Amino acid sequence: MEVNPPKQEHLLALKVMRLTKPTLFTNIPVTCEEKDLPGDLFNQLMRDDPSTVNGAEILMLGEMLTLPQNFGNIFLGETFSSYISVHNDSNQVVKDILVKADLQTSSQRLNLSASNAAVAELKPDCCIDDVIHHEVKEIGTHILVCAVSYTTQGGEKMYFRKFFKFQVLKPLDVKTKFYNAETDEVFLEAQIQNITTSPMFMEKVSLEPSIMYNVAELNSVSQAGECVTTFGSRAYLQPMDTRQYLYCLKPKKEFAEKAGIIKGVTVIGKLDIVWKTNLGERGRLQTSQLQRMAPGYGDVRLSLEAIPDTVNLEEPFHITCKITNCSSERTMDLVLEMCNTNSIHWCGISGRQLGKLHPSSSLCLALTLLSSVQGLQSVSGLRLTDTFLKRTYEYDDIAQVCVVSSAIKVES
């Protein structure tokens, strides 16, 4: 009958602790009225408690710090720090100690050890300490694998490892909306929600545009010559609160002139978000490349370069249109027709030749109109015909103008 030998105990002990900043200690107040049996006993105990704030004992405002009692939450974008200690619990010298720390995620395995070199020897009651740091970039289950290998005095090679499992949570919920303007500008609205259980200080929320765009932030106003944020002096985002950020992207000059290129651009850029929590722990998130739905302009695009806001009744006014051949291969021969509506009348010759328009090129056209009706009127009735393909493009509701009376009669 065979008897399995008892499992040999290891000479080294491994301890792993997460490094986090302390939190403010708050005491739960216990109080009563003076006419009750305890009288002023509870209130006096709270006043004598060193963890309370003088004069605010019943408000749960602490002025002392307490060390973390549990592992706590880890959020995406924060830095995970851990203290690893290997202690020699035996009475003999241990040689060739190698401590290795790996972090296993759902997609990769990362080596977090500061050094991969083995320690020559470790005397009794001595230890090997290491601190590891890692910026968390994935959500979900993470496993910290700590492995220790060493050699005993008798030359026997020993090995053991421990696993520490933790979850990485998502701190922010980011939603984006795109608005495509007629002038090739793109407006981005970013809604950022704090889905943690503690307030955040929003240090920075910026948009890094793609190579084809310049970006302007629309999250501040000018007051008394100073730029003031629209969110107020305190940039705190409370739990479950949402804040909206707005950005305007304009195509760079070298790309704006090439209609066919800027038309198909879907990649806009990415958001860079930096925040701080608790006692200044820093977190950072970068979104993936944000993509919009490319606007469909068709073969020919007509946009307004200049138009007045207000015009006088029955007085001519001028607008400037830009006509762009969005095709990348075909030259067009265009004819302009102007059709009057009930309120808007075109001044000029209809049916005139505009000439040939080469691929991805544009031409500007000055036109004159006249309105016979007051109020907010829509500019409509432009027709472009490509004589090569015998195809007509209709443009209605191009813009609106406010028509007012040129003379105001004052009754005596």
Side-chain angles (χ1 to χ4, degrees):
M1 179 177 177
E2 293 183 0
V3 178
N4 293 327
K7 187 175 181 180
Q8 182 177 356
E9 293 186 1
H10 285 282
L11 305 179
L12 303 181
L14 172 67
K15 292 184 179 180
V16 178
M17 292 173 285
R18 183 192 174 193
L19 295 178
T20 58
K21 290 188 176 181
T23 57
L24 288 171
F25 175 79
T26 55
N27 198 2
I28 300 177
V30 179
T31 184
C32 64
E33 297 181 6
E34 292 184 358
K35 62 182 180 180
D36 293 333
L37 185 61
D40 194 46
L41 176 62
F42 291 152
N43 295 334
Q44 186 61 42
L45 289 174
M46 284 192 297
R47 285 192 290 269
D48 296 338
D49 192 332
S51 67
T52 60
V53 178
N54 292 332
E57 294 85 3
I58 63 174
L59 297 181
M60 294 183 64
L61 296 176
E63 59 180 358
M64 298 182 66
L65 297 175
T66 178
L67 295 176
Q69 302 299 312
N70 51 36
F71 191 80
N73 294 324
I74 300 179
F75 294 100
L76 183 68
E78 295 182 345
T79 299
F80 169 70
S81 300
S82 184
Y83 169 73
I84 300 175
S85 177
V86 176
H87 186 266
N88 187 354
D89 290 345
S90 68
N91 56 5
Q92 59 178 285
V93 177
V94 178
K95 298 181 179 180
D96 300 329
I97 307 98
L98 180 63
V99 183
K100 187 177 180 182
D102 292 339
L103 186 64
Q104 178 70 53
T105 70
S106 59
S107 63
Q108 57 183 335
R109 189 182 181 101
L110 304 169
N111 181 21
L112 305 184
S113 301
S115 174
N116 292 323
V119 178
E121 65 177 24
L122 186 64
K123 296 180 180 180
D125 289 330
C126 292
C127 61
I128 301 172
D129 299 324
D130 190 13
V131 176
I132 59 174
H133 303 280
H134 174 67
E135 184 179 347
V136 183
K137 298 181 179 179
E138 294 184 42
I139 61 174
T141 303
H142 287 57
I143 302 175
L144 180 63
V145 183
C146 296
V148 180
S149 61
Y150 61 96
T151 304
T152 65
Q153 278 187 339
E156 183 179 2
K157 294 186 179 296
M158 305 294 292
Y159 174 83
F160 70 95
R161 60 181 179 174
K162 289 186 178 181
F163 301 88
F164 304 89
K165 183 190 237 183
F166 59 92
Q167 295 289 330
V168 174
L169 308 177
K170 186 170 72 168
L172 300 171
D173 186 26
V174 182
K175 297 179 181 178
T176 56
K177 296 180 182 179
F178 289 101
Y179 305 91
N180 298 312
E182 285 295 328
T183 55
D184 285 330
E185 294 178 343
V186 180
F187 291 89
L188 168 64
E189 176 190 345
Q191 298 181 359
I192 300 177
Q193 182 182 26
N194 177 8
I195 57 176
T196 69
T197 57
S198 60
M200 288 182 176
F201 173 75
M202 305 304 292
E203 185 174 301
K204 183 183 75 169
V205 179
S206 62
L207 177 65
E208 297 180 1
S210 62
I211 191 173
M212 293 187 178
Y213 286 96
N214 292 320
V215 63
E217 293 193 12
L218 305 179
N219 305 308
S220 59
V221 292
S222 179
Q223 292 182 356
E226 295 184 1
C227 192
V228 180
T229 175
T230 56
F231 306 116
S233 58
R234 291 181 174 88
Y236 287 97
L237 192 60
Q238 297 296 333
M240 304 313 295
D241 278 1
T242 301
R243 184 173 292 172
Q244 294 170 305
Y245 295 83
L246 186 62
Y247 304 90
C248 176
L249 296 108
K250 296 182 180 180
K252 294 180 180 178
K253 186 176 180 181
E254 58 268 29
F255 299 109
E257 297 173 352
K258 301 177 182 180
I261 295 178
I262 206 68
K263 167 191 171 184
V265 172
T266 58
V267 176
I268 296 300
K270 55 186 178 181
L271 286 169
D272 188 12
I273 307 171
V274 180
W275 70 91
K276 289 183 179 179
T277 59
N278 199 12
L279 295 180
E281 297 99 327
R282 190 171 183 266
R284 181 183 181 185
L285 280 182
Q286 274 194 336
T287 64
S288 56
Q289 288 289 345
L290 303 175
Q291 295 191 346
R292 62 160 180 167
M293 293 290 294
Y297 298 132
D299 295 332
V300 182
R301 181 188 178 192
L302 185 141
S303 59
L304 281 179
E305 295 294 297
I307 184 172
D309 295 328
T310 304
V311 298
N312 291 329
L313 180 68
E314 297 181 347
E315 291 185 11
F317 63 94
H318 306 283
I319 67 173
T320 303
C321 296
K322 183 179 180 180
I323 301 172
T324 305
N325 181 357
C326 295
S327 172
S328 59
E329 301 176 351
R330 185 168 58 85
T331 300
M332 298 179 178
D333 188 15
L334 299 177
V335 176
L336 174 66
E337 296 181 8
M338 301 178 291
C339 305
N340 293 332
T341 62
N342 293 332
S343 59
I344 294 293
H345 308 277
W346 295 91
C347 304
I349 301 174
S350 180
R352 58 173 166 153
Q353 296 279 345
L354 299 181
K356 294 182 179 180
L357 190 61
H358 296 288
S360 301
S361 59
S362 305
L363 63 87
C364 288
L365 197 61
L367 300 173
T368 304
L369 302 88
L370 181 146
S371 178
S372 58
V373 180
Q374 294 187 62
L376 189 63
Q377 304 300 328
S378 176
V379 178
S380 302
L382 280 183
R383 305 290 182 263
L384 290 174
T385 301
D386 182 8
T387 58
F388 288 155
L389 294 182
K390 306 298 182 184
R391 184 179 296 172
T392 300
Y393 305 91
E394 300 181 356
Y395 299 96
D396 294 318
D397 295 324
I398 303 170
Q400 287 78 36
V401 293
C402 182
V403 183
V404 298
S405 176
S406 57
I408 301 177
K409 296 180 179 181
V410 180
E411 295 182 0
S412 58

